[in-house]
Amino acid sequence: MSPTVAGTVFVVSLVLALAAAYRPLGDYMYRVYTGTRHARVERIVYRLTGVAPDAEQTWPVYARSVLAFSAVSVLFLYGLQRLQSHLVLSLGFPPVEPGQAWNTAVSFVTNTNWQSYAGESTMGDLVQMAGLAVQNFASAAVGMAVAVALVRGFARRRTDHVGNFWVDLIRGTLRILLPVAFAAALVLVAGGAVQNFWDPAHHGVRTIAGGAQTLTGGPVASQEAIKLLGTNGGGFYAVNSAHPFENPAAWTNWLEVLLLLVIAFSLPRTFGRMVGDNGQGYALVSVMAALAIVSAVLMQVFQLMHHGTVPTAVGAATEGVETRFGVPDSGAFATGTTMTSAGATDSAHDSYTGLGGMMALIGMMLGEVAPGGVGSGLYGILILAVVTVFVAGLMVGRTPEYLGKKIGSREIRFAALYFLITPILVLAGTGAAMATGDGRAGILNPGPHGLSEVLYAFTSASNNNGSAFAGLASGTLWYNTALGLCMAFGRFLPMVFVLALAGSLARQGHAPASEGTLPTHRPQFVGLVVGVTVVLVALTFLPALALGPLAEGLHT
């Protein structure tokens, strides 16, 4: 089978699997978030934590709950890393350095999972399980909760309430993420992923050549499953999903890509059910699919058909690619992980061609809405839909409406602030890095590729992705601090604006459709949202792309 055919089969089979999961998974999540009965284990948790599960919250209270829970999570994870040497299952590792502990704590709580360290030689098993893996569940559940709160804003009328954060958090964790991750972990173990408490200090192996080698085991499969399902991306090992203990075979590679896409692609169905119009869900998932498919095709073209002596001779740009998976599957994984907020990798993005690396960057610069992170992708695409109907309304001189809600000056301000936060962080952070000695000191490659490495780091951090161009020495105090701030602001400021928009929409009544109302369930609207997304990104980031990956790609 040729690489092109293999890549096509990989992508087409993924599309079919996602299409098959769209309706049942979306309907199940709809029942989870709209049900009125609480499971027994949930009632126990509510009783222990003092939560009144039937009491709803206004958007400011909901937002304060999100921020308070996240702040406590950062402090807990930071303390766990600093106290590592005093804990069981520490494997003899010393405490994590303060700057690194801060960066890692913020990274995992914000669903970014940026790792400027080697997990197998830095974190003990307890920190990996009780710290990092737990936040993989919690941060994903927070994103889903905020998305559902925004959907309630569209669905409800004349109310100040958008739900109960604690109920949404617990239900998302216990009813959705935990059971699916448990099943996925069992499948990964059956496929060869590691799940043990193997102390590397006491277990070595003899190589084929007769040498000695120490291998690090650990509770890998359990963390691998939720790292992908929750679009987290933080791997147990430094090389992430390129490691055979995390990703043993070609079919597990396909499964991992499916896991990181399946919830985000199914949430539009949940949205359609909650607003009472399944056509709206199909419209949003069509936007996501159109952007994702075009990105996947371009990535395959740039990696499989790159010019040059070596790529031409071997049929593809194979540098940095795990030979077990090959270029097509690795390109599909790279597209999936950057179009979501996962950041997991099974190949070295830094070694991609100039234009291939640009596609990974663009996937994040689009706002990761195709399909985006778990929860964050849905509320991101809804913000773009709001901007689209506002622009369309201006074109015809009518008050814009979306799902029976007027999009006035208050609503569009929240949407605009949401959209502007990430570009400000990306461009300001990249500019600061290039203007300071500490920032430039981490650049290992001269010219456009060096700029691309810095641009990628701040794009990844600000969009809560977590993947990296590995040529940047980002484990310094300057980068740990700067990227940590980008992760925090890039996660929580947009969430506040999303919840404010949800509150503003929920207080409105329902505006009946008129002749001037833009139909938002037809192909015309899908095309408009795609166009608005691409234009906004091009206007914002094209100059930076021209100086970095575009310059590199055209030169080589």
Side-chain angles (χ1 to χ4, degrees):
M1 184 181 296
S2 71
T4 302
V5 173
T8 301
V9 171
F10 192 93
V11 172
V12 170
S13 60
L14 272 175
V15 171
L16 293 175
L18 291 169
Y22 175 78
R23 184 167 181 170
L25 181 56
D27 288 347
Y28 173 71
M29 291 190 289
Y30 162 75
R31 293 191 295 272
V32 167
Y33 287 113
T34 59
T36 57
R37 299 184 62 181
H38 308 293
R40 180 177 299 177
V41 66
E42 293 168 354
R43 292 197 297 269
I44 293 173
V45 175
Y46 299 145
R47 191 174 300 115
L48 293 175
T49 55
V51 171
D54 297 318
E56 294 220 340
Q57 299 172 323
T58 61
W59 83 259
V61 177
Y62 202 104
R64 288 197 295 271
S65 299
V66 170
L67 297 176
F69 175 76
S70 301
V72 171
S73 297
V74 169
L75 292 174
F76 174 79
L77 186 50
Y78 177 86
L80 199 65
Q81 294 174 82
R82 296 292 293 140
L83 297 172
Q84 175 173 248
S85 60
H86 302 289
L87 304 175
V88 297
L89 300 176
S90 67
L91 304 182
F93 293 148
V96 180
E97 181 270 327
Q100 185 67 72
W102 141 261
N103 183 277
T104 303
V106 173
S107 175
F108 276 77
V109 171
T110 59
N111 200 245
T112 310
N113 300 72
W114 173 273
Q115 294 175 285
S116 53
Y117 62 90
E120 67 268 37
S121 60
T122 306
M123 305 293 183
D125 287 347
L126 185 66
V127 174
Q128 294 269 25
M129 292 187 300
L132 307 187
V134 166
Q135 287 308 315
N136 283 349
F137 282 97
S139 63
V142 168
M144 295 167 70
V146 172
V148 170
L150 177 58
V151 176
R152 292 192 185 109
F154 285 107
R156 294 182 174 183
R157 305 175 188 177
R158 307 290 184 189
T159 179
D160 289 330
H161 297 133
V162 295
N164 185 313
F165 167 72
W166 306 106
V167 173
D168 292 339
L169 174 73
I170 292 169
R171 286 187 177 186
T173 302
L174 297 183
R175 299 193 192 185
I176 301 172
L177 297 173
L178 189 60
V180 179
F182 181 81
L186 293 179
V187 175
L188 289 173
V189 169
V194 170
Q195 183 75 14
N196 59 35
F197 292 107
W198 191 352
D199 188 345
H202 301 94
H203 293 85
V205 297
R206 184 69 59 180
T207 66
I208 297 176
Q213 184 178 1
T214 300
L215 297 179
T216 302
V220 178
S222 55
Q223 184 166 324
E224 186 74 8
I226 188 57
K227 123 187 170 183
L228 297 157
L229 182 67
T231 59
N232 296 281
F236 195 94
Y237 298 97
V239 295
N240 211 277
S241 288
H243 199 292
F245 285 1
E246 290 193 24
N247 194 1
W251 71 267
T252 61
N253 190 58
W254 182 91
L255 174 65
E256 294 193 1
V257 180
L258 177 66
L259 287 173
L260 66 88
L261 295 173
V262 67
I263 289 181
F265 261 124
S266 299
L267 275 171
R269 172 71 180 187
T270 306
F271 162 73
R273 290 291 306 275
M274 290 182 70
V275 299
D277 186 348
N278 289 329
Q280 303 294 337
Y282 286 119
L284 293 187
V285 80
S286 297
V287 175
M288 293 176 173
L291 292 170
I293 290 172
V294 170
S295 180
V297 170
L298 290 176
M299 176 68 83
Q300 298 289 1
V301 169
F302 293 144
Q303 292 302 107
L304 291 171
M305 302 180 184
H306 186 65
H307 58 82
T309 304
V310 175
T312 301
V314 301
T318 58
E319 181 183 339
V321 172
E322 169 60 46
T323 56
R324 290 176 299 136
F325 309 136
V327 173
D329 292 8
S330 297
F333 198 114
T335 301
T337 199
T338 52
M339 298 296 280
T340 66
S341 65
T345 56
D346 70 351
S347 57
H349 292 185
D350 192 45
S351 296
Y352 276 33
T353 64
L355 298 180
M358 181 187 69
M359 292 309 303
L361 265 168
I362 290 176
M364 295 182 286
M365 289 174 174
L366 286 170
E368 292 177 330
V369 295
V374 168
S376 62
L378 178 60
Y379 63 67
I381 201 72
L382 284 172
I383 292 290
L384 288 169
V386 167
V387 173
T388 300
V389 296
F390 183 79
V391 172
L394 293 179
M395 289 180 177
V396 298
R398 294 181 181 272
T399 302
E401 302 167 6
Y402 186 48
L403 301 178
K405 301 294 177 124
K406 297 286 187 181
I407 307 301
S409 59
R410 179 181 176 85
E411 289 76 22
I412 201 62
R413 278 199 299 269
F414 290 139
L417 287 169
Y418 171 93
F419 181 81
L420 290 172
I421 288 297
T422 301
I424 290 172
L425 293 173
V426 172
L427 298 177
T430 302
M434 301 305 294
T436 59
D438 288 340
R440 292 193 302 272
I443 301 175
L444 303 181
N445 296 286
H449 192 74
L451 174 61
S452 296
E453 291 172 349
V454 177
L455 180 63
Y456 196 105
F458 282 96
T459 302
S460 179
S462 302
N463 284 281
N464 302 130
N465 183 269
S467 62
F469 271 11
L472 182 69
S474 58
T476 64
L477 178 61
W478 194 93
Y479 276 108
N480 278 335
T481 303
L483 295 174
L485 291 172
C486 285
M487 294 176 212
F489 289 132
R491 173 74 164 180
F492 298 118
L493 284 180
M495 280 186 168
V496 171
F497 295 132
V498 166
L499 292 171
L501 176 61
S504 180
L505 294 170
R507 283 194 295 269
Q508 294 186 30
H510 183 269
S514 65
E515 292 183 1
T517 301
L518 174 68
T520 56
H521 60 284
R522 297 178 181 173
Q524 176 193 28
F525 181 71
V526 172
L528 281 173
V529 178
V530 171
V532 167
T533 304
V534 173
V535 169
L536 287 176
V537 171
L539 291 175
T540 306
F541 292 110
L542 185 58
L545 291 171
L547 294 173
L550 265 175
E552 181 187 359
L554 295 175
H555 176 71
T556 56

